[in-house]
Each structure stands twice: as structure tokens, then as C-alpha cells.
Amino acid sequence: MSNSVPDGWQYNFIGDIATVFAGGTPSRANTEYYVGSNPWVKSGEVNARQIFNTEEHISDLAIIESSAKWAKAGSVLVAMYGATAGQVAKLMIDATLNQAVSAINGKDDLAHNLTKGIGHTEFKDSPVGRIPVEWGVVKLSQIGNFSKGKGISKKEISSSGTPCIRYAEIYTTYDYVIKKFKSFISSEVAITSKKLKYNDIIFAGSGETVEDIGKSVAFTHNYDAYVGGDAVIFSPSRQINSVFMSYQLNDDIRRIQLRKLGQGSSVIHIYSSGLEQLLVCIPSINEQNKI
């Protein structure tokens, strides 16, 4: 077993620090089981970072007469078998689970599904929940500036040249940090495109679903790269670790805020005027780097 973990960390079995249980599937032969209003997560749905709704619902009777179990919002779900076996997602609502899905919840005195910082013993209530007393809460507009991507049509993309990022790639290709570029443009196209700066964070300004909207990724390279239209760029103006901020901007609390800011129906949009209002936590730069 590798020992390459930060000082102060330790290895534990999941069962030692968390509760783990699987759900159940009510009999399909009883149609009364599938006419209720209780959300029911199937393993095929454990393929997104966060689950806000379910394809099917079951009745109260189905829960009583089967092994379907309730999992609370905040649970970490794992698909145990099927096409999505091994996939992990965060449950954002209270919901029941089928037999191919397990729920994991950290024991309060040993582990927590969200972070509470490093080494803190005193906490305070804030607009984004309970946080260490040393942390501040600010709007994004207070710690940086926004700008828009521009240019770069699909026909201008090539397999070599100057690296670029298109807005759809933020939620189809990248996770939290851009490690390797997928798309490239010529030097001529780059002239009319938006150039990224080290430590920038790029938001997807459009998406097909409200779950997609506002997904962000950090740019941590020192070479030239560009970003196309339908993307919003946030450039921190003070000591901010963009990797830390990217993880925070994609967490449960911020995703809930972002869902409320999305506008539209068939295509959902989010604008810098909305992103400016996002509330984020600001630890010291040293703690950001450690996290």
C-alpha cells in the first residue's frame, strides 16, 4: 500500500469511518409499487457527479414491503454492478436506493462527507453552512474579475497548433483542472480569440441541463492557450489557489447556488452577472494550498 499521503493523514477502511448500506428493488410485478412520489435511484443513474432527481419513483408501500432504503442528501453513492459499476456520485436529495447502489456516510466523529478545513477546532455559522472561524465568506466579485471567451468555431478546431478550450469541453472532457488539452487552433484564429492567464478559472456559460450549467475548470499552465465563446473567465485578483477554488466552485453548496442562477429552457445559460454573486469560502493561501 502506498504511503504517499500528506503529513497528518492516515489510511482507514471505509467501514471503520463510515456507515455503508445498499438498497433494494420492489417487485416489478406489483404496479402499485411504482406509482408513488419517493425518489428511487438506480445504478444506471450513478454516472453523474451529483444526483438532483431520479427517473423513477416508488410508493410508501414499496418501501415497507421491500429492502429499498432511504439515503439522506449528502450521501456518497456507489454503483455496485451493471454498466456503471464503480461509478460514484453525490446524492443531493433524500432518496431511496435500489439493490445495485450503496450509500456511504462518514461517522460524524471520524469523517465528514464535505471538508471542514485542516486542523480547525472552532467553527461558526455562515451563509454557506458551518465553517472554521478563521475563514471568510465573500462574493466572487470581491476577489476577482470576469471576462468572456470569444471566437473559435467548430470548423476552426484542429488536432495540432495552439491549445484552446471550448465551453462544452468543460463538462464533457475536463474535471477540475485542465491537465491536457483536447482541441487546438491556428495562430491566425488565436489572434481573434480570448487568451487565458495562469490561475484563470473557466465556467461553462451554456448547457443542455441545469446540472451542467456553471461547471468550472482551472487553468494552471504558463503557456499560451485560448478559450472560445459561451465561456466565462474568472481571473482572481488576490491570493487565490485556482485549483482549490475550482474544487469549491464545483461542490454541493455552489452547485445549488448555480442551479438557481441558470436561465432558459431548452438551453440553459448563466452569465457573469450571476456568477459574481456566488458565495465562496476563503481560507488563508497556505491552507488553500494544503487542501
Side-chain angles (χ1 to χ4, degrees):
M1 183 179 291
S2 170
N3 60 1
S4 57
V5 297
D7 292 340
W9 288 30
Q10 58 180 313
Y11 288 104
N12 284 103
F13 290 108
I14 288 291
D16 292 336
I17 62 171
T19 59
V20 182
F21 66 88
T25 299
S27 172
R28 290 283 184 182
N30 190 336
T31 57
E32 293 183 6
Y33 288 163
Y34 291 89
V35 293
S37 59
N38 302 305
W40 184 61
V41 182
K42 297 176 291 189
S43 61
E45 296 173 276
V46 187
N47 61 356
R49 179 174 292 115
Q50 295 160 325
I51 296 175
F52 287 91
N53 47 58
T54 61
E55 295 174 354
E56 292 189 272
H57 294 73
I58 59 176
S59 64
D60 292 339
L61 181 64
I63 299 173
I64 294 171
E65 297 186 353
S66 77
S67 54
K69 295 182 178 66
W70 280 100
K72 63 183 181 180
S75 299
V76 176
L77 303 186
V78 181
M80 296 189 292
Y81 51 87
T84 56
Q87 292 287 334
V88 177
K90 192 70 169 289
L91 185 62
M92 305 300 291
I93 56 172
D94 291 344
T96 59
L97 313 175
N98 85 348
Q99 84 282 357
V101 179
S102 283
I104 301 173
N105 282 286
K107 297 176 182 177
D108 288 341
D109 57 335
L110 296 175
H112 195 276
N113 291 357
L114 293 171
T115 178
K116 290 186 177 180
I118 297 176
H120 296 281
T121 57
E122 296 185 41
F123 300 88
K124 64 183 179 182
D125 293 323
S126 80
V128 294
R130 199 155 178 80
I131 61 173
V133 293
E134 293 89 349
W135 289 16
V137 176
V138 299
K139 295 179 180 179
L140 276 188
S141 60
Q142 296 174 263
I143 59 170
N145 303 301
F146 287 89
S147 57
K148 293 181 63 177
K150 62 180 180 179
I152 310 181
S153 65
K154 187 174 182 179
K155 66 181 180 181
E156 293 172 323
I157 297 296
S158 63
S159 58
S160 62
T162 301
C164 72
I165 180 172
R166 303 181 69 220
Y167 84 93
E169 295 171 348
I170 296 173
Y171 53 79
T172 61
T173 302
Y174 302 110
D175 199 359
Y176 299 102
V177 183
I178 299 174
K179 296 181 179 178
K180 183 179 181 181
F181 281 88
K182 175 184 178 180
S183 302
F184 301 85
I185 53 176
S186 67
S187 56
E188 290 77 16
V189 174
I191 294 173
T192 58
S193 301
K194 174 70 175 179
K195 186 177 180 179
L196 290 170
K197 301 189 298 293
Y198 173 81
N199 218 37
D200 276 351
I201 296 174
I202 309 100
F203 289 88
S206 300
E208 295 181 358
T209 69
V210 72
E211 283 77 19
D212 291 334
I213 200 65
K215 168 73 169 58
S216 62
V217 63
F219 175 69
T220 59
H221 301 287
N222 285 310
Y223 51 75
D224 289 351
Y226 295 81
V227 62
D230 268 343
V232 180
I233 302 101
F234 173 68
S235 301
S237 59
R238 53 185 278 188
Q239 284 191 311
I240 297 294
N241 181 311
S242 64
V243 176
F244 164 81
M245 187 57 66
S246 179
Y247 274 93
Q248 183 178 182
L249 290 169
N250 288 295
D251 72 9
D252 303 342
I253 295 172
R254 259 51 60 169
R255 295 305 305 164
I256 292 171
Q257 292 184 60
L258 287 162
R259 282 169 60 88
K260 296 177 180 178
L261 295 172
Q263 302 177 26
S265 53
S266 57
V267 177
I268 312 299
H269 299 278
I270 196 166
Y271 304 99
S272 57
S273 57
L275 293 172
E276 289 174 349
Q277 305 307 309
L278 274 180
L279 295 173
V280 293
C281 299
I282 305 296
S284 69
I285 188 61
N286 288 337
E287 187 171 1
Q288 291 180 47
N289 294 335
K290 288 179 181 179
I291 293 174

